[in-house]
Amino acid sequence: MGVFGDQWTLLIIRDLMFKGKKHYGEFSDPAEGIATNILSDRLARLVSDGIIKKDRDPSHGARFVYRLSEKGKDLLPVMLAIVEWSAKYDANTETPPAFLEKLRRDPAALKTEILQALA
Amino acid sequence: MGVFGDQWTLLIIRDLMFKGKKHYGEFSDPAEGIATNILSDRLARLVSDGIIKKDRDPSHGARFVYRLSEKGKDLLPVMLAIVEWSAKYDANTETPPAFLEKLRRDPAALKTEILQALA
DNA sequence: CTGTATCCTTAGGGATACTG
DNA sequence: CAGTATCCCTAAGGATACAG
């Protein structure tokens, strides 16, 4: 349950799941507002919880690729439920309208689409 | 989004939604492990976020009843998704098997049942 | 660049006292 | 009992230096 009790963790999962982010530098983008030490800590925690996997990037030498494990991908329903709720009530939610449209029109299709992108 | 970033908040919502808890004393049950000052703070925050309502209990004098607002009830899909994920991966989740059974067999029915209980 | 460790301050929160 | 406020300390985390 500790996964949901932390906003940074949720942000990272969201970025992995919906924004195609994979690299340290993308998560530590200033717009996210997460300090590098915290990012480091949360990534390590997520790895140790088995929610993400950390693998060497074959193309770039000293770089790692972070990806959701199966356990992590199984969080998709949770994340989508949050997205939906936030879109309804959170004024400043920046979810693209096209995404919401799809989510409501055919959630199953959207899910497989996202999982495909994560594979 | 701040709602999901706090474990105590989530616990309170869960208690309201699934355990039929309504009163201060029930939330502050030692088993929950939440300090009274934190409880007070989180309840106030939830009220100010419009997720719960705080009303006088007509039967008892100085007592309040806390209930989910519509906005709060709309968190049901999120909470159920969390329950399901936790049941799958979190070893020490104490969700009753009967509940999970229902959730998988006929989620829609379970939802209306819960909403009925909250009404 | 990618990622971790250190420093230091502030806020979260436990224990508990207090008010009605 | 229901609920809030105070005290105090630990830990989360921002800024930044550091290592590869």
Side-chain angles (χ1 to χ4, degrees):
Chain A
M1 224 297 280
V3 182
F4 307 104
D6 180 68
Q7 57 159 323
W8 298 126
T9 301
L10 252 14
L11 262 190
I12 293 171
I13 293 174
R14 188 202 55 174
D15 285 354
L16 281 164
M17 201 168 262
F18 301 129
K19 302 199 171 180
K21 297 194 180 178
K22 288 179 165 48
H23 303 288
Y24 197 92
E26 298 175 298
F27 301 121
S28 73
D29 176 49
E32 299 287 338
I34 183 170
T36 60
N37 58 340
I38 306 302
L39 175 57
S40 181
D41 176 82
R42 293 306 190 276
L43 285 173
R45 213 180 283 197
L46 283 166
V47 168
S48 108
D49 286 350
I51 291 174
I52 68 176
K53 294 168 298 162
K54 175 182 186 176
D55 298 305
R56 289 218 160 275
D57 186 333
S59 48
H60 303 65
R63 187 191 235 194
F64 288 93
V65 179
Y66 298 92
R67 272 172 305 178
L68 290 165
S69 66
E70 284 310 307
K71 184 175 175 181
K73 289 177 193 172
D74 275 352
L75 286 169
L76 181 54
V78 178
M79 299 304 287
L80 287 177
I82 292 176
V83 165
E84 202 159 19
W85 186 86
S86 301
K88 186 168 179 183
Y89 290 111
D90 191 357
N92 43 359
T93 189
E94 79 288 8
T95 310
F99 188 95
L100 290 172
E101 166 69 19
K102 256 186 207 167
L103 175 57
R104 280 153 190 166
R105 196 185 204 85
D106 190 348
L110 179 61
K111 284 184 189 178
T112 56
E113 184 180 329
I114 291 171
L115 290 177
Q116 216 110 53
L118 291 176
Chain B
M1 226 295 281
V3 183
F4 306 104
D6 180 68
Q7 55 158 327
W8 297 126
T9 302
L10 252 14
L11 262 190
I12 293 170
I13 293 174
R14 188 201 55 172
D15 285 353
L16 281 163
M17 201 168 262
F18 301 129
K19 302 198 171 181
K21 296 193 180 178
K22 289 179 162 51
H23 304 289
Y24 197 92
E26 296 174 300
F27 302 120
S28 74
D29 176 49
E32 298 287 337
I34 183 170
T36 59
N37 58 339
I38 305 302
L39 174 57
S40 181
D41 175 83
R42 293 306 189 278
L43 286 173
R45 214 180 281 197
L46 282 166
V47 168
S48 108
D49 287 348
I51 291 173
I52 67 176
K53 296 168 295 159
K54 175 182 185 177
D55 299 304
R56 290 218 159 274
D57 186 333
S59 46
H60 303 65
R63 185 192 235 194
F64 289 93
V65 178
Y66 298 91
R67 270 173 305 176
L68 290 164
S69 66
E70 285 310 308
K71 184 176 176 181
K73 291 178 192 171
D74 276 351
L75 285 169
L76 181 54
V78 178
M79 300 304 286
L80 287 178
I82 291 177
V83 165
E84 202 158 20
W85 186 88
S86 301
K88 185 168 181 184
Y89 291 110
D90 192 358
N92 43 358
T93 187
E94 79 289 6
T95 310
F99 189 95
L100 291 172
E101 166 69 19
K102 256 186 207 168
L103 174 57
R104 280 153 190 168
R105 196 183 204 85
D106 191 348
L110 179 60
K111 285 185 189 177
T112 55
E113 183 181 328
I114 291 171
L115 290 177
Q116 216 110 53
L118 291 176

